[in-house]
Amino acid sequence: MKKILCVLLTGLLLSPEYLLADGKSVPLPPVPSSGNVTLPLDEYNRLLELANKPARRTDTPPVPYTMKRADLKFHAASESVQGTVQLQGEILHKGVTKVPLTTGMAILDARQEGKSLPLELEGGTHTAVLAGPAEFAVTLDAGLPLSIEAGRASFTLPVPAAGSVRMILSLPGDRTNVRISPGLITSRASENGQTTVEATLVPGQNASIWWTTREIVTPAAPKEVRFLSDVKTLITVSEADLRITALADISVVQGDPWQFELAVPAGYEVTAATGASVESAEVQSGVLILKVRGASQKSHQFLIAMEKSLSETKVDAPFLTFQNSQRETGEVLVEGAGTIELRSTEGGGLKRIDFKEINPYVRSLARFPLQAAFRYHKQPNEQPSLALAWTRFPDSSVLAAVVERAIVTTLVTNEGRSLTEVKLVVKNQAQPFLKVALPQGASILSAEVAGEKVKPVEGSDGNRVPLLRAGFRPRDAYEVSFVFMHSGAPFAKKGGSDISLPKMDVPIDLLQWEVFLPQQYKVKDFGGDAIAANLLPAASQDVSGAENYDGDLGRAIPFSDVEMNALLPGQLGGIVVDQTGAIVPNAQVTVKQVETGAVRNVMTDSSGRWMVSNLSSGNVEVSTSNPGFQRMVRKFFYDGSRPVPFVTALNIGAVAETVTVASATSSISEYQRVERDAKKQAAQQQLAASANVTSLQQRVSGVLPVRVDVPRAGNSYHFVRPLVLDEETKVTFTYKSR
């Protein structure tokens, strides 16, 4: 029976006269009889072209993968936070694709569809290799460190860069005041001593999560803390107050201190307390409490400022002391503002030292003339003491003339004769002459006022150089110059010699002296009244504000070689050189933290070095530029716990041209090698003659009224001396013929 029904249905379906509709057969409409169809040739060719046209290929996706969703589920334990991270996304490209999953977490296990998934660690980022095109779902077992203080716990969560991120956090006990930043808590529930929080997080940004508890936890027995303190203090005596600026270095020997206490001297008010590891600073009952981040850190540095009003002309200087310090050492530098005569009386093991021996960091904070310097090491049976007394003088009337800057160039011949040109930048109210006390055997050859020659005058009490001339009425600073020659003593094969500048009765703010000696003589052991220019410390040129201090703390602290070769946690720095290895000063360096968008701008100092502080670990972008060089951009992962200085070599070119390099920082050995080479080149450049020497050599030929066989090849030595008034300036040295 079934076979008969199948045959009938097949016949109805194949029959052209009937059509099944709603279970009934309906007659079909008539169709034309079969036969040939005639088409035009153009239409026939068009149909062939359409039939042979290849199928259109789909466009390649613009990105290799997408991360759609991240579900985080964590629970807080005694010392850590553990849980799972579920990541869902899609591989868009065909073949194998590297997918970065998370950064900053400790990954215990990784699975995909219940199977173990191997991961790669690239620059601190855990990466999986997945095949596509296909959707994927990856589960990670992860852990994070938990920071626990009295009544407070916190941790930092690196949030994956997904389309949406949702977190469920379980906290033991009765927790309150849970905070997530950035993020939004959507629900909160407590049951059976367990608190569960659901939140939505900002993709790709680190979230700070902390909470407090009402539970009373039995405090653990604290470990015994031992540390050493070294306090370098700058005391500023001004007209109305006494200011104290202290740079304190703490070295932890034992234990994990999370705060340090410093007794505030009676009558003083703390105006600032900063440091790279300082979390908070407050004064309670006359004690400054400095709470620090990272209790396990073995070294801390604080900058503390305080002040006290003055009503008398004497005071006992305070010595800042950290409570429970096992050893206390320090230095004291005293400066006075205004016209002041300051007397200091030390005692209790306080030893007077030279200004040059004081720490350069503290010396860079000074803004007024230095009065005294001391060093101490506190002993149990004696305490250092320093009594200060001063006499302040009223300001005098305006000077008739003052020299803002004196630029002196001296050429020394093989016969020991010296030719010296003195250029003075003068501000003159009414003084007509400059009295010059030349050394014996010297004579003035020529003089000029504002570019025009004048005639010097020789008197019984000394020579005089005109500061004014007929028809000249200066309104601003102008230049006065004169050239004199000294007979000197001939050079031998070896021995000693000295060169001196005459006394001048107009005060000179700063004297800069370049001495050009013949190349055949090797000189050393410079002495005298002037200071060698290469001995002056270079100041930091941070323009971002990251290394500067506010208020009355003065200029930024310059960094030293030791600090650059062993950067503290959170610091980043390096040296900038050109293709030849020469240092590049005043280069603009921009440090950008990719995750947070924070930007720091600094400039290299005269040694080509730069440094910024208070950086967190993560991806950074360091851009270095200087006129005449291509802009260099370096992108790498910065590990704030183990910072290493690096070297940036700029190529000659236009600033608009950019060279981008993705690399890690240099090694310490490479940095030290480049810095040594740069210092050698800088030392060689310092010996090169300046344009002042070349100009004076040219003037000897037919311009000056004297015949001098000046050396054409030699080395230049630079000296400076501040605040010169009616004093002879002398430079001594020993020499040996090459």
Side-chain angles (χ1 to χ4, degrees):
M1 187 65 179
K2 292 182 178 180
K3 292 182 178 180
I4 296 172
L5 290 175
C6 289
V7 172
L8 290 174
L9 290 173
T10 304
L12 290 173
L13 292 173
L14 297 177
S15 176
E17 292 84 8
Y18 295 94
L19 175 67
L20 289 177
D22 297 332
K24 298 179 182 180
S25 60
V26 180
L28 290 172
V31 296
S33 59
S34 60
N36 297 327
V37 178
T38 303
L39 295 175
L41 182 59
D42 293 341
E43 186 67 18
Y44 176 75
N45 291 335
R46 189 180 70 82
L47 292 176
L48 288 179
E49 182 180 353
L50 292 175
N52 295 328
K53 189 174 182 180
R56 184 178 180 183
R57 296 182 179 177
T58 58
D59 294 336
T60 303
V63 293
Y65 67 91
T66 60
M67 191 75 71
K68 299 179 180 179
R69 179 174 177 175
D71 293 320
L72 287 68
K73 190 173 182 179
F74 287 98
H75 65 275
S78 58
E79 296 182 354
S80 63
V81 177
Q82 299 181 5
T84 60
V85 178
Q86 295 182 350
L87 303 172
Q88 298 179 11
E90 183 179 358
I91 303 297
L92 303 178
H93 282 188
K94 187 176 181 180
V96 175
T97 301
K98 285 188 177 182
V99 180
L101 301 179
T102 183
T103 301
M105 296 186 187
I107 303 301
L108 308 177
D109 189 19
R111 300 180 301 277
Q112 182 184 18
E113 298 179 356
K115 298 180 181 180
S116 179
L117 177 65
L119 300 181
E120 295 181 1
L121 186 62
E122 296 183 352
T125 301
H126 294 280
T127 304
V129 179
L130 303 175
E135 295 187 351
F136 66 86
V138 176
T139 302
L140 305 176
D141 294 338
L144 292 165
L146 182 62
S147 176
I148 300 177
E149 301 174 2
R152 186 178 187 270
S154 63
F155 70 96
T156 300
L157 176 64
V159 181
S164 63
V165 182
R166 179 173 172 269
M167 181 190 68
I168 300 176
L169 177 63
S170 298
L171 309 174
D174 183 14
R175 306 284 181 173
T176 58
N177 195 23
V178 182
R179 293 290 183 269
I180 300 177
S181 176
L184 177 64
I185 297 177
T186 57
S187 68
R188 185 195 317 247
S190 297
E191 185 178 358
N192 299 326
Q194 192 83 7
T195 301
T196 302
V197 175
E198 296 186 11
T200 300
L201 306 179
V202 179
Q205 292 190 17
N206 290 352
S208 297
I209 303 173
W210 71 96
W211 63 90
T212 57
T213 179
R214 295 175 181 170
E215 298 178 355
I216 299 176
V217 181
T218 303
K223 296 180 181 179
E224 184 180 2
V225 174
R226 295 183 178 181
F227 64 91
L228 312 177
S229 65
D230 184 64
V231 182
K232 305 171 183 65
T233 306
L234 172 66
I235 301 176
T236 304
V237 181
S238 65
E239 295 183 359
D241 53 24
L242 184 73
R243 293 194 292 271
I244 305 295
T245 305
L247 181 66
D249 289 302
I250 303 296
S251 300
V252 179
V253 179
Q254 177 180 305
D256 298 323
W258 60 276
Q259 74 175 26
F260 297 91
E261 298 180 357
L262 181 143
V264 179
Y268 286 84
E269 178 185 358
V270 177
T271 57
T274 60
S277 60
V278 174
E279 186 178 56
S280 64
E282 58 180 346
V283 178
Q284 295 181 0
S285 303
V287 177
L288 174 62
I289 301 176
L290 298 169
K291 295 184 178 181
V292 297
R293 293 184 292 268
S296 60
Q297 188 171 325
K298 296 305 179 184
S299 62
H300 303 272
Q301 190 175 68
F302 310 124
L303 187 66
I304 304 168
M306 54 184 68
E307 61 183 28
K308 172 185 177 180
S309 299
L310 287 178
S311 57
E312 301 179 354
T313 59
K314 60 181 180 179
V315 70
D316 291 332
F319 290 83
L320 304 185
T321 301
F322 284 88
Q323 297 182 6
N324 302 322
S325 176
Q326 269 62 47
R327 188 188 70 188
E328 297 178 84
T329 58
E331 297 175 354
V332 179
L333 182 63
V334 183
E335 65 174 354
T339 308
I340 184 175
E341 179 185 356
L342 193 144
R343 300 172 298 278
S344 56
T345 304
E346 66 274 14
L350 193 66
K351 298 181 180 179
R352 190 179 294 264
I353 60 176
D354 190 81
F355 296 133
K356 298 178 182 179
E357 300 180 46
I358 210 74
N359 185 277
Y361 291 173
V362 178
R363 203 164 60 236
S364 68
L365 296 174
R367 295 181 296 173
F368 303 106
L370 304 181
Q371 304 290 336
F374 306 91
R375 181 177 290 133
Y376 65 89
H377 182 179
K378 288 186 179 180
Q379 302 294 335
N381 56 351
E382 64 177 1
Q383 294 294 324
S385 62
L386 178 61
L388 301 177
W390 59 90
T391 303
R392 193 172 296 278
F393 301 96
D395 294 335
S396 60
S397 57
V398 178
L399 294 173
V402 63
V403 176
E404 294 181 341
R405 185 171 67 257
I407 301 175
V408 183
T409 307
T410 298
L411 305 182
V412 181
T413 67
N414 295 329
E415 296 80 14
R417 303 173 70 186
S418 63
L419 185 68
T420 302
E421 180 181 30
V422 181
K423 294 181 180 179
L424 308 174
V425 179
V426 182
K427 274 192 173 181
N428 192 6
Q429 300 292 332
Q431 187 164 332
F433 291 97
L434 169 69
K435 185 179 178 181
V436 180
L438 293 175
Q440 187 175 3
S443 60
I444 297 178
L445 303 180
S446 66
E448 293 183 357
V449 174
E452 292 190 12
K453 289 186 177 182
V454 293
K455 185 177 181 180
V457 179
E458 184 175 354
S460 58
D461 57 346
N463 293 269
R464 286 172 173 78
V465 174
L467 295 179
L468 297 173
R469 53 181 170 79
F472 179 64
R473 297 292 180 267
R475 296 184 178 180
D476 205 346
Y478 63 98
E479 185 176 288
V480 174
S481 65
F482 62 94
V483 179
F484 70 91
M485 187 175 64
H486 188 263
S487 57
F491 282 110
K493 290 186 178 181
K494 63 179 181 179
S497 181
D498 63 82
I499 307 173
S500 60
L501 296 179
K503 298 179 181 180
M504 291 175 277
D505 65 347
V506 175
I508 301 173
D509 289 347
L510 180 64
L511 186 146
Q512 298 172 273
W513 190 6
E514 179 179 2
V515 179
F516 185 78
L517 298 174
Q519 192 174 22
Q520 69 186 78
Y521 295 101
K522 182 180 180 181
V523 296
K524 60 179 181 178
D525 299 331
F526 285 99
D529 304 318
I531 304 172
N534 58 359
L535 298 179
L536 297 178
S540 172
Q541 299 188 33
D542 187 337
V543 299
S544 68
E547 309 304 322
N548 288 324
Y549 300 99
D550 297 328
D552 296 327
L553 302 186
R555 299 186 299 272
I557 299 175
F559 41 77
S560 64
D561 293 342
V562 176
E563 186 176 4
M564 286 301 300
N565 293 338
L567 294 174
L568 296 176
Q571 293 181 340
L572 177 63
I575 186 171
V576 180
V577 297
D578 60 15
Q579 289 175 311
T580 65
I583 59 176
V584 180
N586 301 322
Q588 180 74 33
V589 181
T590 300
V591 180
K592 179 181 179 182
Q593 294 179 272
V594 178
E595 286 82 0
T596 62
V599 176
R600 306 286 183 86
N601 294 314
V602 297
M603 292 180 67
T604 57
D605 65 1
S606 60
S607 300
R609 295 174 297 173
W610 62 273
M611 185 185 70
V612 296
S613 300
N614 300 327
L615 289 180
S616 58
S617 298
N619 294 314
V620 298
E621 181 178 297
V622 180
S623 173
T624 308
S625 61
N626 198 52
F629 296 93
Q630 294 178 342
R631 180 171 171 261
M632 172 67 74
V633 178
R634 300 185 69 169
K635 301 178 181 179
F636 56 91
F637 181 83
Y638 167 69
D639 186 355
S641 62
R642 293 179 296 178
V644 177
F646 65 92
V647 179
T648 301
L650 298 181
N651 298 325
I652 297 176
V655 179
E657 301 175 5
T658 302
V659 179
T660 303
V661 178
S663 63
T665 56
S666 308
S667 63
I668 292 269
S669 59
E670 180 185 357
Y671 173 83
Q672 292 174 338
R673 178 185 59 79
V674 172
E675 189 175 40
R676 285 196 302 268
D677 295 343
K679 286 183 177 180
K680 289 180 181 178
Q681 290 198 19
Q684 293 175 355
Q685 292 176 357
Q686 287 181 349
L687 296 177
S690 69
N692 294 330
V693 173
T694 305
S695 175
L696 186 56
Q697 288 174 338
Q698 294 174 349
R699 293 181 61 186
V700 171
S701 302
V703 177
L704 295 176
V706 65
R707 181 177 180 83
V708 183
D709 187 14
V710 297
R712 298 298 173 180
N715 296 321
S716 282
Y717 303 90
H718 300 265
F719 306 90
V720 295
R721 187 183 182 188
L723 303 177
V724 182
L725 175 60
D726 207 16
E727 294 176 306
E728 185 182 66
T729 301
K730 180 181 294 186
V731 168
T732 63
F733 58 90
T734 60
Y735 64 88
K736 181 180 181 182
S737 179
R738 296 180 187 272

